[in-house]
Amino acid sequence: MKNIKAIINLALIGAITCFSLSQCKNSGKVGNTESSETEKPLVNQLSEQEKQEGWKLLFDGETTNGWRNFKSDTLIGWEVKDGELIALGQGGDHANDIITIDEYDNFELYLEWKVSEGANSGIFFNAVEDDVDAIYAVAPEYQLIDEVTWPGELEEWQKAGANYAMHLPNENKKLMPVGEYNSSKIVVNDSLVQHYLNGEFILEYKQWTDEWYQLRNSGKWDDYPKYGTASKGHIGLQDHGNKVYFRNIKIKEL
């Protein structure tokens, strides 16, 4: 009889143990499922933390408010569709470049971009409109381009992430395939300029140093005496005759 009672007690203890382990195991699964879920990134919106840090949207995802064509009070050659600001590529070389209404000096600029096959574009800063016919004649440019299917050979200073015709990105540069979004960040603080691409630091230079002037006077900018002379100006996006897409454009003044 004692043996039978002992067997029953052992069976009950085993059942209770198995039930407890099963509950813990199931609880762990639920917990793991919940922890693996990640929040979807905000598109054309600011998080509460970004608002507290002083970020401001330059593109609301629905309109072209806050932008106009370079040296014009109107805006043509661009459209907003599905939360993207799109250069239609209708105007040829630089015909429909756009700039922000506001001007900036020290700032951190973030945006996301993708190019169509064979497309070329750029991000400008310190763009001013006095005595120049084109934005590239005055404003430094963070180069955006399809390096893979571009019809012809590119110089290193023409490739994505470069300070166009001036400074080259480092080995941290990694581009997404054509048709997929890249992220870029430009930090301007007095003379110091930094480029980031897809979260990686790729380039740093100082404006108006001896080295900067040496590059500036090396031939490319001989016909553009105003290039790089401004310390404050508009942010610009280039329409170089190709379809290019932008989103999540935001800025924080420093």
Side-chain angles (χ1 to χ4, degrees), residues 159-195:
K159 292 184 178 180
N163 175 29
Y164 182 76
M166 291 286 283
H167 301 90
L168 308 181
N170 62 31
E171 66 279 0
N172 294 332
K173 171 185 156 182
K174 292 180 179 62
L175 270 176
M176 300 299 290
V178 173
E180 295 185 22
Y181 267 101
N182 296 272
S183 67
S184 288
K185 183 169 70 172
I186 303 174
V187 180
V188 178
N189 196 352
D190 294 327
S191 65
L192 180 66
V193 182
Q194 297 174 323
H195 289 191

PDB file of all heavy atoms in Angstrom, residues 159-195:
ATOM      1  N   LYS A 159      31.064  60.557 -57.914  1.00  0.00           N
ATOM      2  CA  LYS A 159      30.302  59.434 -57.376  1.00  0.00           C
ATOM      3  C   LYS A 159      29.514  59.822 -56.129  1.00  0.00           C
ATOM      4  O   LYS A 159      29.755  60.861 -55.505  1.00  0.00           O
ATOM      5  CB  LYS A 159      31.240  58.264 -57.084  1.00  0.00           C
ATOM      6  CG  LYS A 159      31.832  57.651 -58.349  1.00  0.00           C
ATOM      7  CD  LYS A 159      32.680  56.426 -58.048  1.00  0.00           C
ATOM      8  CE  LYS A 159      33.221  55.798 -59.335  1.00  0.00           C
ATOM      9  NZ  LYS A 159      34.050  54.594 -59.057  1.00  0.00           N
ATOM     10  N   ALA A 160      28.556  58.979 -55.787  1.00  0.00           N
ATOM     11  CA  ALA A 160      27.634  59.259 -54.683  1.00  0.00           C
ATOM     12  C   ALA A 160      28.378  59.485 -53.376  1.00  0.00           C
ATOM     13  O   ALA A 160      29.348  58.790 -53.057  1.00  0.00           O
ATOM     14  CB  ALA A 160      26.642  58.112 -54.527  1.00  0.00           C
ATOM     15  N   GLY A 161      27.918  60.466 -52.633  1.00  0.00           N
ATOM     16  CA  GLY A 161      28.487  60.778 -51.331  1.00  0.00           C
ATOM     17  C   GLY A 161      29.608  61.781 -51.365  1.00  0.00           C
ATOM     18  O   GLY A 161      29.993  62.322 -50.321  1.00  0.00           O
ATOM     19  N   ALA A 162      30.175  62.030 -52.548  1.00  0.00           N
ATOM     20  CA  ALA A 162      31.276  62.986 -52.661  1.00  0.00           C
ATOM     21  C   ALA A 162      30.774  64.411 -52.474  1.00  0.00           C
ATOM     22  O   ALA A 162      29.600  64.721 -52.722  1.00  0.00           O
ATOM     23  CB  ALA A 162      31.936  62.863 -54.034  1.00  0.00           C
ATOM     24  N   ASN A 163      31.668  65.282 -52.028  1.00  0.00           N
ATOM     25  CA  ASN A 163      31.448  66.716 -52.154  1.00  0.00           C
ATOM     26  C   ASN A 163      31.845  67.026 -53.596  1.00  0.00           C
ATOM     27  O   ASN A 163      33.029  67.099 -53.915  1.00  0.00           O
ATOM     28  CB  ASN A 163      32.303  67.489 -51.161  1.00  0.00           C
ATOM     29  CG  ASN A 163      32.202  68.993 -51.333  1.00  0.00           C
ATOM     30  OD1 ASN A 163      31.181  69.501 -51.770  1.00  0.00           O
ATOM     31  ND2 ASN A 163      33.264  69.695 -50.988  1.00  0.00           N
ATOM     32  N   TYR A 164      30.867  67.177 -54.459  1.00  0.00           N
ATOM     33  CA  TYR A 164      31.061  67.143 -55.905  1.00  0.00           C
ATOM     34  C   TYR A 164      32.252  67.986 -56.363  1.00  0.00           C
ATOM     35  O   TYR A 164      32.350  69.176 -56.064  1.00  0.00           O
ATOM     36  CB  TYR A 164      29.795  67.622 -56.612  1.00  0.00           C
ATOM     37  CG  TYR A 164      29.879  67.586 -58.114  1.00  0.00           C
ATOM     38  CD1 TYR A 164      29.775  66.383 -58.806  1.00  0.00           C
ATOM     39  CD2 TYR A 164      30.092  68.751 -58.838  1.00  0.00           C
ATOM     40  CE1 TYR A 164      29.871  66.345 -60.181  1.00  0.00           C
ATOM     41  CE2 TYR A 164      30.186  68.727 -60.216  1.00  0.00           C
ATOM     42  CZ  TYR A 164      30.075  67.519 -60.884  1.00  0.00           C
ATOM     43  OH  TYR A 164      30.174  67.486 -62.248  1.00  0.00           O
ATOM     44  N   ALA A 165      33.155  67.323 -57.082  1.00  0.00           N
ATOM     45  CA  ALA A 165      34.343  67.943 -57.677  1.00  0.00           C
ATOM     46  C   ALA A 165      35.313  68.506 -56.647  1.00  0.00           C
ATOM     47  O   ALA A 165      36.186  69.310 -56.999  1.00  0.00           O
ATOM     48  CB  ALA A 165      33.942  69.036 -58.672  1.00  0.00           C
ATOM     49  N   MET A 166      35.177  68.061 -55.386  1.00  0.00           N
ATOM     50  CA  MET A 166      36.045  68.602 -54.340  1.00  0.00           C
ATOM     51  C   MET A 166      36.634  67.501 -53.448  1.00  0.00           C
ATOM     52  O   MET A 166      37.837  67.272 -53.464  1.00  0.00           O
ATOM     53  CB  MET A 166      35.279  69.614 -53.485  1.00  0.00           C
ATOM     54  CG  MET A 166      34.925  70.912 -54.187  1.00  0.00           C
ATOM     55  SD  MET A 166      36.354  72.012 -54.429  1.00  0.00           S
ATOM     56  CE  MET A 166      36.568  72.699 -52.797  1.00  0.00           C
ATOM     57  N   HIS A 167      35.784  66.805 -52.670  1.00  0.00           N
ATOM     58  CA  HIS A 167      36.256  65.843 -51.678  1.00  0.00           C
ATOM     59  C   HIS A 167      35.601  64.477 -51.891  1.00  0.00           C
ATOM     60  O   HIS A 167      34.427  64.396 -52.252  1.00  0.00           O
ATOM     61  CB  HIS A 167      35.950  66.331 -50.258  1.00  0.00           C
ATOM     62  CG  HIS A 167      36.575  67.647 -49.932  1.00  0.00           C
ATOM     63  ND1 HIS A 167      35.936  68.843 -50.154  1.00  0.00           N
ATOM     64  CD2 HIS A 167      37.789  67.958 -49.409  1.00  0.00           C
ATOM     65  CE1 HIS A 167      36.723  69.841 -49.774  1.00  0.00           C
ATOM     66  NE2 HIS A 167      37.854  69.332 -49.315  1.00  0.00           N
ATOM     67  N   LEU A 168      36.374  63.409 -51.608  1.00  0.00           N
ATOM     68  CA  LEU A 168      35.927  62.041 -51.866  1.00  0.00           C
ATOM     69  C   LEU A 168      35.477  61.348 -50.583  1.00  0.00           C
ATOM     70  O   LEU A 168      36.067  61.569 -49.519  1.00  0.00           O
ATOM     71  CB  LEU A 168      37.058  61.225 -52.501  1.00  0.00           C
ATOM     72  CG  LEU A 168      37.730  61.823 -53.729  1.00  0.00           C
ATOM     73  CD1 LEU A 168      38.806  60.863 -54.250  1.00  0.00           C
ATOM     74  CD2 LEU A 168      36.719  62.136 -54.816  1.00  0.00           C
ATOM     75  N   PRO A 169      34.476  60.472 -50.675  1.00  0.00           N
ATOM     76  CA  PRO A 169      34.065  59.689 -49.507  1.00  0.00           C
ATOM     77  C   PRO A 169      35.101  58.620 -49.174  1.00  0.00           C
ATOM     78  O   PRO A 169      35.909  58.237 -50.031  1.00  0.00           O
ATOM     79  CB  PRO A 169      32.743  59.058 -49.953  1.00  0.00           C
ATOM     80  CG  PRO A 169      32.819  59.006 -51.442  1.00  0.00           C
ATOM     81  CD  PRO A 169      33.618  60.207 -51.847  1.00  0.00           C
ATOM     82  N   ASN A 170      35.054  58.124 -47.935  1.00  0.00           N
ATOM     83  CA  ASN A 170      35.999  57.100 -47.512  1.00  0.00           C
ATOM     84  C   ASN A 170      35.466  55.691 -47.769  1.00  0.00           C
ATOM     85  O   ASN A 170      34.420  55.514 -48.408  1.00  0.00           O
ATOM     86  CB  ASN A 170      36.373  57.296 -46.031  1.00  0.00           C
ATOM     87  CG  ASN A 170      35.153  57.156 -45.116  1.00  0.00           C
ATOM     88  OD1 ASN A 170      34.210  56.419 -45.386  1.00  0.00           O
ATOM     89  ND2 ASN A 170      35.179  57.872 -44.002  1.00  0.00           N
ATOM     90  N   GLU A 171      36.169  54.700 -47.233  1.00  0.00           N
ATOM     91  CA  GLU A 171      35.837  53.295 -47.506  1.00  0.00           C
ATOM     92  C   GLU A 171      34.573  52.832 -46.785  1.00  0.00           C
ATOM     93  O   GLU A 171      34.096  51.718 -47.033  1.00  0.00           O
ATOM     94  CB  GLU A 171      37.009  52.400 -47.108  1.00  0.00           C
ATOM     95  CG  GLU A 171      37.327  52.339 -45.623  1.00  0.00           C
ATOM     96  CD  GLU A 171      38.158  53.519 -45.151  1.00  0.00           C
ATOM     97  OE1 GLU A 171      38.488  54.397 -45.983  1.00  0.00           O
ATOM     98  OE2 GLU A 171      38.470  53.569 -43.943  1.00  0.00           O
ATOM     99  N   ASN A 172      33.997  53.658 -45.902  1.00  0.00           N
ATOM    100  CA  ASN A 172      32.760  53.278 -45.214  1.00  0.00           C
ATOM    101  C   ASN A 172      31.530  53.385 -46.108  1.00  0.00           C
ATOM    102  O   ASN A 172      30.450  52.924 -45.733  1.00  0.00           O
ATOM    103  CB  ASN A 172      32.533  54.170 -43.985  1.00  0.00           C
ATOM    104  CG  ASN A 172      33.583  53.947 -42.916  1.00  0.00           C
ATOM    105  OD1 ASN A 172      34.143  52.862 -42.802  1.00  0.00           O
ATOM    106  ND2 ASN A 172      33.868  54.986 -42.147  1.00  0.00           N
ATOM    107  N   LYS A 173      31.687  53.976 -47.259  1.00  0.00           N
ATOM    108  CA  LYS A 173      30.558  54.218 -48.162  1.00  0.00           C
ATOM    109  C   LYS A 173      29.953  52.909 -48.661  1.00  0.00           C
ATOM    110  O   LYS A 173      30.652  52.051 -49.199  1.00  0.00           O
ATOM    111  CB  LYS A 173      31.022  55.060 -49.346  1.00  0.00           C
ATOM    112  CG  LYS A 173      29.992  55.196 -50.459  1.00  0.00           C
ATOM    113  CD  LYS A 173      30.576  55.940 -51.629  1.00  0.00           C
ATOM    114  CE  LYS A 173      29.865  55.596 -52.901  1.00  0.00           C
ATOM    115  NZ  LYS A 173      30.460  56.280 -54.058  1.00  0.00           N
ATOM    116  N   LYS A 174      28.633  52.776 -48.477  1.00  0.00           N
ATOM    117  CA  LYS A 174      27.891  51.619 -48.980  1.00  0.00           C
ATOM    118  C   LYS A 174      26.572  52.118 -49.549  1.00  0.00           C
ATOM    119  O   LYS A 174      25.774  52.732 -48.838  1.00  0.00           O
ATOM    120  CB  LYS A 174      27.643  50.598 -47.873  1.00  0.00           C
ATOM    121  CG  LYS A 174      28.914  49.916 -47.373  1.00  0.00           C
ATOM    122  CD  LYS A 174      28.616  48.913 -46.277  1.00  0.00           C
ATOM    123  CE  LYS A 174      29.881  48.220 -45.805  1.00  0.00           C
ATOM    124  NZ  LYS A 174      30.851  49.161 -45.209  1.00  0.00           N
ATOM    125  N   LEU A 175      26.342  51.845 -50.826  1.00  0.00           N
ATOM    126  CA  LEU A 175      25.129  52.281 -51.510  1.00  0.00           C
ATOM    127  C   LEU A 175      24.111  51.157 -51.595  1.00  0.00           C
ATOM    128  O   LEU A 175      24.472  49.989 -51.775  1.00  0.00           O
ATOM    129  CB  LEU A 175      25.455  52.728 -52.936  1.00  0.00           C
ATOM    130  CG  LEU A 175      25.822  54.185 -53.181  1.00  0.00           C
ATOM    131  CD1 LEU A 175      26.203  54.368 -54.642  1.00  0.00           C
ATOM    132  CD2 LEU A 175      24.691  55.125 -52.812  1.00  0.00           C
ATOM    133  N   MET A 176      22.843  51.503 -51.497  1.00  0.00           N
ATOM    134  CA  MET A 176      21.778  50.543 -51.750  1.00  0.00           C
ATOM    135  C   MET A 176      21.613  50.363 -53.258  1.00  0.00           C
ATOM    136  O   MET A 176      21.980  51.249 -54.049  1.00  0.00           O
ATOM    137  CB  MET A 176      20.465  51.037 -51.138  1.00  0.00           C
ATOM    138  CG  MET A 176      20.530  51.238 -49.627  1.00  0.00           C
ATOM    139  SD  MET A 176      20.893  49.714 -48.742  1.00  0.00           S
ATOM    140  CE  MET A 176      19.358  48.809 -49.006  1.00  0.00           C
ATOM    141  N   PRO A 177      21.063  49.239 -53.700  1.00  0.00           N
ATOM    142  CA  PRO A 177      20.829  49.043 -55.141  1.00  0.00           C
ATOM    143  C   PRO A 177      19.898  50.110 -55.707  1.00  0.00           C
ATOM    144  O   PRO A 177      19.070  50.687 -54.988  1.00  0.00           O
ATOM    145  CB  PRO A 177      20.166  47.659 -55.193  1.00  0.00           C
ATOM    146  CG  PRO A 177      20.580  46.978 -53.928  1.00  0.00           C
ATOM    147  CD  PRO A 177      20.679  48.059 -52.905  1.00  0.00           C
ATOM    148  N   VAL A 178      20.051  50.386 -56.976  1.00  0.00           N
ATOM    149  CA  VAL A 178      19.199  51.375 -57.648  1.00  0.00           C
ATOM    150  C   VAL A 178      17.731  51.007 -57.446  1.00  0.00           C
ATOM    151  O   VAL A 178      17.343  49.847 -57.593  1.00  0.00           O
ATOM    152  CB  VAL A 178      19.530  51.437 -59.148  1.00  0.00           C
ATOM    153  CG1 VAL A 178      18.540  52.333 -59.882  1.00  0.00           C
ATOM    154  CG2 VAL A 178      20.947  51.940 -59.347  1.00  0.00           C
ATOM    155  N   GLY A 179      16.933  51.998 -57.096  1.00  0.00           N
ATOM    156  CA  GLY A 179      15.520  51.768 -56.851  1.00  0.00           C
ATOM    157  C   GLY A 179      15.177  51.540 -55.393  1.00  0.00           C
ATOM    158  O   GLY A 179      14.004  51.484 -55.034  1.00  0.00           O
ATOM    159  N   GLU A 180      16.203  51.410 -54.538  1.00  0.00           N
ATOM    160  CA  GLU A 180      15.985  51.268 -53.103  1.00  0.00           C
ATOM    161  C   GLU A 180      16.457  52.539 -52.391  1.00  0.00           C
ATOM    162  O   GLU A 180      17.377  53.213 -52.847  1.00  0.00           O
ATOM    163  CB  GLU A 180      16.727  50.051 -52.541  1.00  0.00           C
ATOM    164  CG  GLU A 180      16.201  48.732 -53.081  1.00  0.00           C
ATOM    165  CD  GLU A 180      16.867  47.537 -52.413  1.00  0.00           C
ATOM    166  OE1 GLU A 180      17.398  47.701 -51.284  1.00  0.00           O
ATOM    167  OE2 GLU A 180      16.859  46.453 -53.004  1.00  0.00           O
ATOM    168  N   TYR A 181      15.829  52.826 -51.262  1.00  0.00           N
ATOM    169  CA  TYR A 181      16.137  54.063 -50.555  1.00  0.00           C
ATOM    170  C   TYR A 181      17.473  54.012 -49.823  1.00  0.00           C
ATOM    171  O   TYR A 181      17.823  53.012 -49.195  1.00  0.00           O
ATOM    172  CB  TYR A 181      15.027  54.401 -49.560  1.00  0.00           C
ATOM    173  CG  TYR A 181      13.984  55.316 -50.156  1.00  0.00           C
ATOM    174  CD1 TYR A 181      12.759  54.822 -50.604  1.00  0.00           C
ATOM    175  CD2 TYR A 181      14.244  56.679 -50.301  1.00  0.00           C
ATOM    176  CE1 TYR A 181      11.807  55.666 -51.160  1.00  0.00           C
ATOM    177  CE2 TYR A 181      13.303  57.526 -50.863  1.00  0.00           C
ATOM    178  CZ  TYR A 181      12.093  57.023 -51.292  1.00  0.00           C
ATOM    179  OH  TYR A 181      11.164  57.859 -51.851  1.00  0.00           O
ATOM    180  N   ASN A 182      18.219  55.103 -49.944  1.00  0.00           N
ATOM    181  CA  ASN A 182      19.401  55.387 -49.139  1.00  0.00           C
ATOM    182  C   ASN A 182      19.044  56.483 -48.151  1.00  0.00           C
ATOM    183  O   ASN A 182      18.109  57.264 -48.376  1.00  0.00           O
ATOM    184  CB  ASN A 182      20.555  55.899 -50.010  1.00  0.00           C
ATOM    185  CG  ASN A 182      21.051  54.875 -51.001  1.00  0.00           C
ATOM    186  OD1 ASN A 182      21.920  54.071 -50.716  1.00  0.00           O
ATOM    187  ND2 ASN A 182      20.484  54.899 -52.215  1.00  0.00           N
ATOM    188  N   SER A 183      19.806  56.588 -47.066  1.00  0.00           N
ATOM    189  CA  SER A 183      19.669  57.721 -46.163  1.00  0.00           C
ATOM    190  C   SER A 183      20.957  58.529 -46.191  1.00  0.00           C
ATOM    191  O   SER A 183      22.051  57.972 -46.263  1.00  0.00           O
ATOM    192  CB  SER A 183      19.378  57.251 -44.728  1.00  0.00           C
ATOM    193  OG  SER A 183      20.495  56.572 -44.177  1.00  0.00           O
ATOM    194  N   SER A 184      20.818  59.843 -46.159  1.00  0.00           N
ATOM    195  CA  SER A 184      21.974  60.739 -46.148  1.00  0.00           C
ATOM    196  C   SER A 184      21.800  61.782 -45.059  1.00  0.00           C
ATOM    197  O   SER A 184      20.681  62.207 -44.751  1.00  0.00           O
ATOM    198  CB  SER A 184      22.146  61.449 -47.496  1.00  0.00           C
ATOM    199  OG  SER A 184      22.603  60.542 -48.484  1.00  0.00           O
ATOM    200  N   LYS A 185      22.918  62.180 -44.494  1.00  0.00           N
ATOM    201  CA  LYS A 185      22.918  63.247 -43.493  1.00  0.00           C
ATOM    202  C   LYS A 185      24.088  64.178 -43.783  1.00  0.00           C
ATOM    203  O   LYS A 185      25.187  63.728 -44.103  1.00  0.00           O
ATOM    204  CB  LYS A 185      23.047  62.667 -42.081  1.00  0.00           C
ATOM    205  CG  LYS A 185      22.986  63.728 -40.984  1.00  0.00           C
ATOM    206  CD  LYS A 185      22.849  63.106 -39.599  1.00  0.00           C
ATOM    207  CE  LYS A 185      24.095  62.393 -39.159  1.00  0.00           C
ATOM    208  NZ  LYS A 185      24.020  61.958 -37.739  1.00  0.00           N
ATOM    209  N   ILE A 186      23.815  65.465 -43.704  1.00  0.00           N
ATOM    210  CA  ILE A 186      24.849  66.489 -43.848  1.00  0.00           C
ATOM    211  C   ILE A 186      24.846  67.326 -42.576  1.00  0.00           C
ATOM    212  O   ILE A 186      23.798  67.833 -42.157  1.00  0.00           O
ATOM    213  CB  ILE A 186      24.592  67.404 -45.059  1.00  0.00           C
ATOM    214  CG1 ILE A 186      24.499  66.584 -46.355  1.00  0.00           C
ATOM    215  CG2 ILE A 186      25.687  68.456 -45.176  1.00  0.00           C
ATOM    216  CD1 ILE A 186      24.097  67.408 -47.567  1.00  0.00           C
ATOM    217  N   VAL A 187      26.006  67.467 -41.966  1.00  0.00           N
ATOM    218  CA  VAL A 187      26.150  68.320 -40.788  1.00  0.00           C
ATOM    219  C   VAL A 187      27.063  69.482 -41.169  1.00  0.00           C
ATOM    220  O   VAL A 187      28.177  69.277 -41.656  1.00  0.00           O
ATOM    221  CB  VAL A 187      26.750  67.552 -39.594  1.00  0.00           C
ATOM    222  CG1 VAL A 187      26.885  68.486 -38.386  1.00  0.00           C
ATOM    223  CG2 VAL A 187      25.892  66.338 -39.250  1.00  0.00           C
ATOM    224  N   VAL A 188      26.570  70.695 -40.986  1.00  0.00           N
ATOM    225  CA  VAL A 188      27.354  71.902 -41.261  1.00  0.00           C
ATOM    226  C   VAL A 188      27.439  72.705 -39.972  1.00  0.00           C
ATOM    227  O   VAL A 188      26.411  73.078 -39.397  1.00  0.00           O
ATOM    228  CB  VAL A 188      26.719  72.754 -42.377  1.00  0.00           C
ATOM    229  CG1 VAL A 188      27.533  74.015 -42.605  1.00  0.00           C
ATOM    230  CG2 VAL A 188      26.595  71.956 -43.665  1.00  0.00           C
ATOM    231  N   ASN A 189      28.659  72.930 -39.507  1.00  0.00           N
ATOM    232  CA  ASN A 189      28.873  73.696 -38.279  1.00  0.00           C
ATOM    233  C   ASN A 189      30.038  74.649 -38.514  1.00  0.00           C
ATOM    234  O   ASN A 189      31.201  74.241 -38.483  1.00  0.00           O
ATOM    235  CB  ASN A 189      29.157  72.759 -37.110  1.00  0.00           C
ATOM    236  CG  ASN A 189      28.993  73.452 -35.766  1.00  0.00           C
ATOM    237  OD1 ASN A 189      28.813  74.666 -35.698  1.00  0.00           O
ATOM    238  ND2 ASN A 189      29.045  72.679 -34.701  1.00  0.00           N
ATOM    239  N   ASP A 190      29.706  75.893 -38.809  1.00  0.00           N
ATOM    240  CA  ASP A 190      30.698  76.882 -39.233  1.00  0.00           C
ATOM    241  C   ASP A 190      31.387  76.366 -40.501  1.00  0.00           C
ATOM    242  O   ASP A 190      30.712  76.072 -41.470  1.00  0.00           O
ATOM    243  CB  ASP A 190      31.674  77.190 -38.107  1.00  0.00           C
ATOM    244  CG  ASP A 190      30.982  77.877 -36.929  1.00  0.00           C
ATOM    245  OD1 ASP A 190      30.028  78.635 -37.178  1.00  0.00           O
ATOM    246  OD2 ASP A 190      31.380  77.640 -35.779  1.00  0.00           O
ATOM    247  N   SER A 191      32.689  76.194 -40.486  1.00  0.00           N
ATOM    248  CA  SER A 191      33.384  75.744 -41.695  1.00  0.00           C
ATOM    249  C   SER A 191      33.411  74.229 -41.842  1.00  0.00           C
ATOM    250  O   SER A 191      33.712  73.705 -42.917  1.00  0.00           O
ATOM    251  CB  SER A 191      34.823  76.266 -41.700  1.00  0.00           C
ATOM    252  OG  SER A 191      35.567  75.697 -40.638  1.00  0.00           O
ATOM    253  N   LEU A 192      33.085  73.506 -40.767  1.00  0.00           N
ATOM    254  CA  LEU A 192      33.168  72.044 -40.791  1.00  0.00           C
ATOM    255  C   LEU A 192      31.934  71.435 -41.437  1.00  0.00           C
ATOM    256  O   LEU A 192      30.803  71.764 -41.083  1.00  0.00           O
ATOM    257  CB  LEU A 192      33.315  71.509 -39.366  1.00  0.00           C
ATOM    258  CG  LEU A 192      33.423  69.981 -39.228  1.00  0.00           C
ATOM    259  CD1 LEU A 192      34.722  69.482 -39.852  1.00  0.00           C
ATOM    260  CD2 LEU A 192      33.328  69.574 -37.764  1.00  0.00           C
ATOM    261  N   VAL A 193      32.162  70.514 -42.385  1.00  0.00           N
ATOM    262  CA  VAL A 193      31.075  69.820 -43.074  1.00  0.00           C
ATOM    263  C   VAL A 193      31.323  68.319 -42.980  1.00  0.00           C
ATOM    264  O   VAL A 193      32.438  67.843 -43.222  1.00  0.00           O
ATOM    265  CB  VAL A 193      30.981  70.227 -44.558  1.00  0.00           C
ATOM    266  CG1 VAL A 193      29.815  69.516 -45.239  1.00  0.00           C
ATOM    267  CG2 VAL A 193      30.836  71.738 -44.692  1.00  0.00           C
ATOM    268  N   GLN A 194      30.278  67.560 -42.639  1.00  0.00           N
ATOM    269  CA  GLN A 194      30.363  66.109 -42.550  1.00  0.00           C
ATOM    270  C   GLN A 194      29.271  65.475 -43.396  1.00  0.00           C
ATOM    271  O   GLN A 194      28.136  65.947 -43.426  1.00  0.00           O
ATOM    272  CB  GLN A 194      30.222  65.643 -41.100  1.00  0.00           C
ATOM    273  CG  GLN A 194      31.332  66.127 -40.192  1.00  0.00           C
ATOM    274  CD  GLN A 194      31.087  65.767 -38.737  1.00  0.00           C
ATOM    275  OE1 GLN A 194      29.960  65.788 -38.258  1.00  0.00           O
ATOM    276  NE2 GLN A 194      32.149  65.426 -38.026  1.00  0.00           N
ATOM    277  N   HIS A 195      29.634  64.388 -44.094  1.00  0.00           N
ATOM    278  CA  HIS A 195      28.684  63.611 -44.878  1.00  0.00           C
ATOM    279  C   HIS A 195      28.505  62.228 -44.248  1.00  0.00           C
ATOM    280  O   HIS A 195      29.495  61.588 -43.860  1.00  0.00           O
ATOM    281  CB  HIS A 195      29.189  63.400 -46.313  1.00  0.00           C
ATOM    282  CG  HIS A 195      29.176  64.620 -47.158  1.00  0.00           C
ATOM    283  ND1 HIS A 195      29.385  64.581 -48.524  1.00  0.00           N
ATOM    284  CD2 HIS A 195      28.972  65.936 -46.867  1.00  0.00           C
ATOM    285  CE1 HIS A 195      29.330  65.803 -49.016  1.00  0.00           C
ATOM    286  NE2 HIS A 195      29.076  66.640 -48.033  1.00  0.00           N
TER     287      HIS A 195
END
